Amino acid sequence: MRQTVLALALTAPVAVAGCMTPQQQNQVGGALIGGSLGFITAKALDADSDWTVVSTLGGAAAGTLVARNAANNQCAYATGDGRYRRGPC
């Protein structure tokens, strides 16, 4: 049940993507990809349900775009360990 709710919580933003700006869509996309990879990794390592939730949320946080400089098309991404990396948007 918890995993179903978590999956719905991660996919629900896709339903409202038509109401979002491109920057918001990038943020949601990064969070979904990061969360999915966290979930898949936890399942592959046969983690219990608590660790699955933690790894999914951690992956979503790491995958979220945190800043964008429109002047030079550079974005900052959270690495998940408190640091940020810059790269093209």
Side-chain angles (χ1 to χ4, degrees):
M1 176 69 176
R2 179 185 271 179
Q3 292 173 350
T4 304
V5 172
L6 183 62
L8 288 174
L10 290 174
T11 58
V14 175
V16 295
C19 303
M20 295 181 181
T21 65
Q23 181 180 3
Q24 290 170 328
Q25 290 176 354
N26 289 340
Q27 289 174 331
V28 170
L32 287 174
I33 292 169
S36 299
L37 290 174
F39 180 80
I40 291 168
T41 302
K43 285 300 181 182
L45 296 174
D46 199 27
D48 66 1
S49 60
D50 292 334
W51 280 109
T52 301
V53 171
V54 169
S55 66
T56 302
L57 294 176
T64 302
L65 173 70
V66 294
R68 180 178 182 163
N69 184 347
N72 62 6
N73 200 30
Q74 289 286 309
C75 293
Y77 300 90
T79 60
D81 60 358
R83 295 181 297 160
Y84 301 93
R85 68 173 177 82
R86 283 184 274 172
C89 296

